[in-house]
Amino acid sequence: MSSDAPIIIIGTGLSGYSLAREIRKQDKTTQLLMVTADDGFSYSKPMLSTGFTKGKDADELAQATSGGMVEQLNIELRTHTVVTGIDAERHELLIGEERLAYSRLVLAWGADVIRLSIPGDGHPHVYSINDLMDYRAFRQALSGRKRVAIMGAGLIGCEFANDLLNGDYEVDVIAPSDTAMPGLLPPEAANAVVDALSEAGARFHLEAVVDRIDRQGDGVRLTLSSGELVDADIVISAVGLRPRIELARSAGLETGRGIVVNRALETSLPDIYALGDCAEVDGHVLLYVLPLMACARALAKTLMGERTEVRYGTMPVMVKTPCCPTAVCPPPANASGEWEVEREGNNVRALFKSPDGETLGFAVTGDYALEKQLLAKEVPPIHP
Ligand SMILES: Cc1cc2nc3c(=O)[nH]c(=O)nc-3n(C[C@H](O)[C@H](O)[C@H](O)COP(=O)(O)OP(=O)(O)OC[C@H]3O[C@@H](n4cnc5c(N)ncnc54)[C@H](O)[C@@H]3O)c2cc1C
């Protein structure tokens, strides 16, 4: 390893930039090189599903340009540069034929959207939104249009549904599950969100998948497995994300659902670390902001010489559906216990109780969402 080589961070999403910021709090001069496939603009990804509600377009959601980040963080930055491989033995990064030496390498390269292969010729009208550049393209395509069909009723599908309703768009949501956000919310809380979105004007087509997407006039016609036909101008595909693991795997790093790291964010190979949406940290794949911020703080200390393990506290997730404010802190996978649920209209308080009465998780909607902070204090942290 060349000790005068820089620390290289791949990715300028919230993980990459949060890490660089945390490093700079401790050290102003260590050489940092950031490499990113995108334009390197700094933005808060959770804001992408609030553009209409907050009255902001893609440019207004950007917090700083790549040039601004170079100045703010005293970094070297290569934008529109796709890393194609890692030579872990030689401590080098591959960008096509080019090789870049690193002293330490951090993978903060996020997750890929899952793309369904659906028959039909309407795919140019289908958009996935997982970064600011995607969002910019989507907003441009939306200009002058009115009808949006959303494939997927997960957190992101529901947030976009609410945001588009707030922008006066017509919204159809199609999903195979019998309610929204299965796996994240208990059914009563999920039904409250579906009911509130429906009252606000969304049309849900549940227990159905899209069999075909065909051009129809200036827009598309979706043929659903239920036999229904849905006409739309634009389609958002929000059917899930998958941590980017392929390059890591081919470089010999251990991978599972994500790039496997321990609590010090160390991968299975020396001097390579990972955090954020691409990482499986101590068995947890959590595609949210709070976990990556905790990882960035710990990893910055490690990279600056004080090996530090991340500690995940209790990390509630806010679902940005203002027509039915929702917060959830899912119980640990395989926890034994059951949901105790109170529901009055779209106000739901669901507590996941262990057999000895301990609250291990919660989901609250509507008026009960105000209780999220109090409830979060009752739930044990992920890492005790
Ligand atoms: C619409 C939406 C709303 C959300 N809302 C919330 C919320 O309310 N609360 C919450 O906690 N979380 C939310 N999330 C999730 C949260 O935003 C993500 O967990 C987080 O932003 C992930 O950041 P990241 O830096 O790990 O990945 P990304 O932001 O995906 O960054 C990955 C970076 O790696 C770069 N890259 C990828 N491959 C390569 C390569 N081969 N070479 C070079 N560069 C590469 C990319 O260009 C990019 O710069 C939301 C997500 C979405 C999509």
Side-chain angles (χ1 to χ4, degrees):
M1 158 173 81
S2 154
S3 58
D4 52 8
I7 295 175
I8 299 186
I9 302 172
I10 310 175
T12 53
L14 284 170
S15 305
Y17 277 144
S18 301
L19 175 63
R21 253 185 221 107
E22 292 297 328
I23 290 175
R24 285 296 178 240
K25 283 183 193 165
Q26 300 178 49
D27 177 294
K28 303 281 182 236
T29 53
T30 293
Q31 243 194 305
L32 285 184
L33 168 59
M34 299 189 71
V35 180
T36 181
D38 62 32
D39 58 13
F41 277 39
S42 166
Y43 69 101
S44 171
K45 194 183 285 197
M47 295 300 110
L48 297 184
S49 46
T50 66
F52 289 104
T53 308
K54 301 239 155 80
K56 292 190 172 181
D57 63 16
D59 289 336
E60 290 161 327
L61 288 173
Q63 293 162 337
T65 62
S66 52
M69 294 311 287
V70 166
E71 254 177 58
Q72 254 184 54
L73 295 171
N74 185 27
I75 51 173
E76 197 185 325
L77 173 58
R78 289 186 56 173
T79 58
H80 302 290
T81 303
V82 178
V83 171
T84 52
I86 299 165
D87 184 338
E89 206 164 310
R90 293 174 61 177
H91 278 59
E92 285 174 351
L93 200 63
L94 277 69
I95 299 165
E97 297 294 300
E98 185 186 358
R99 287 176 169 263
L100 290 180
Y102 61 79
S103 57
R104 268 82 50 82
L105 176 65
V106 180
L107 312 179
W109 59 33
D112 269 325
V113 291
I114 296 174
R115 289 175 209 280
L116 301 177
S117 131
I118 298 174
D121 60 3
H123 288 273
H125 293 262
V126 180
Y127 290 79
S128 297
I129 305 167
N130 189 35
D131 62 35
L132 188 61
M133 287 165 49
D134 293 342
Y135 188 68
R136 185 170 283 121
F138 167 69
R139 286 292 293 255
Q140 269 163 13
L142 202 56
S143 167
R145 304 305 189 101
K146 223 45 233 147
R147 302 165 303 168
V148 183
I150 301 175
M151 296 195 289
L155 176 140
I156 290 172
C158 288
E159 290 190 352
F160 274 116
N162 202 153
D163 196 46
L164 287 159
L165 290 170
N166 289 349
D168 277 338
Y169 290 88
E170 283 180 39
V171 175
D172 287 273
V173 182
I174 303 130
S177 48
D178 61 1
T179 188
M181 295 179 263
L184 184 63
L185 294 182
E188 294 83 351
N191 290 339
V193 176
V194 171
D195 291 350
L197 285 169
S198 303
E199 284 155 25
R203 293 182 289 261
F204 274 84
H205 310 265
L206 297 170
E207 298 183 90
V209 295
V210 177
D211 279 346
R212 293 193 62 85
I213 305 178
D214 294 298
R215 281 180 198 271
Q216 170 89 0
D218 282 349
V220 284
R221 168 161 285 181
L222 280 62
T223 306
L224 311 193
S225 53
S226 57
E228 275 181 282
L229 301 174
V230 173
D231 290 337
D233 299 315
I234 301 267
V235 181
I236 296 180
S237 174
V239 297
L241 292 166
R242 192 178 286 131
R244 293 188 173 109
I245 58 173
E246 294 312 324
L247 278 183
R249 187 190 286 152
S250 38
L253 296 168
E254 189 187 342
T255 56
R257 287 174 299 145
I259 300 166
V260 170
V261 293
N262 59 18
R263 283 180 57 185
L265 291 321
E266 295 158 334
T267 65
S268 57
L269 292 178
D271 298 317
I272 306 182
Y273 305 80
L275 81 165
D277 278 7
C278 63
E280 179 177 334
V281 181
D282 188 33
H284 299 278
V285 177
L286 299 172
L287 308 190
Y288 300 111
V289 175
L290 286 180
L292 72 83
M293 301 293 271
C295 288
R297 288 191 291 274
L299 183 53
K301 287 189 187 156
T302 297
L303 293 173
M304 293 300 101
E306 180 192 344
R307 187 179 181 280
T308 302
E309 296 198 334
V310 68
R311 184 183 167 277
Y312 283 166
T314 304
M315 294 192 283
V317 177
M318 311 306 157
V319 184
K320 301 185 293 300
T321 43
C323 70
C324 184
T326 299
V328 56
C329 192
N334 307 324
S336 59
E338 54 186 43
W339 287 102
E340 291 178 4
V341 183
E342 286 170 58
R343 179 169 184 181
E344 281 167 39
N346 292 336
N347 307 313
V348 173
R349 183 198 284 121
L351 306 180
F352 188 90
K353 295 281 190 181
S354 71
D356 54 10
E358 196 185 1
T359 305
L360 298 180
F362 66 83
V364 278
T365 71
D367 295 346
Y368 291 129
L370 294 171
E371 296 177 11
K372 60 181 184 274
Q373 260 142 357
L374 275 180
L375 287 170
K377 288 188 184 144
E378 285 183 29
V379 174
I382 294 175
H383 290 132

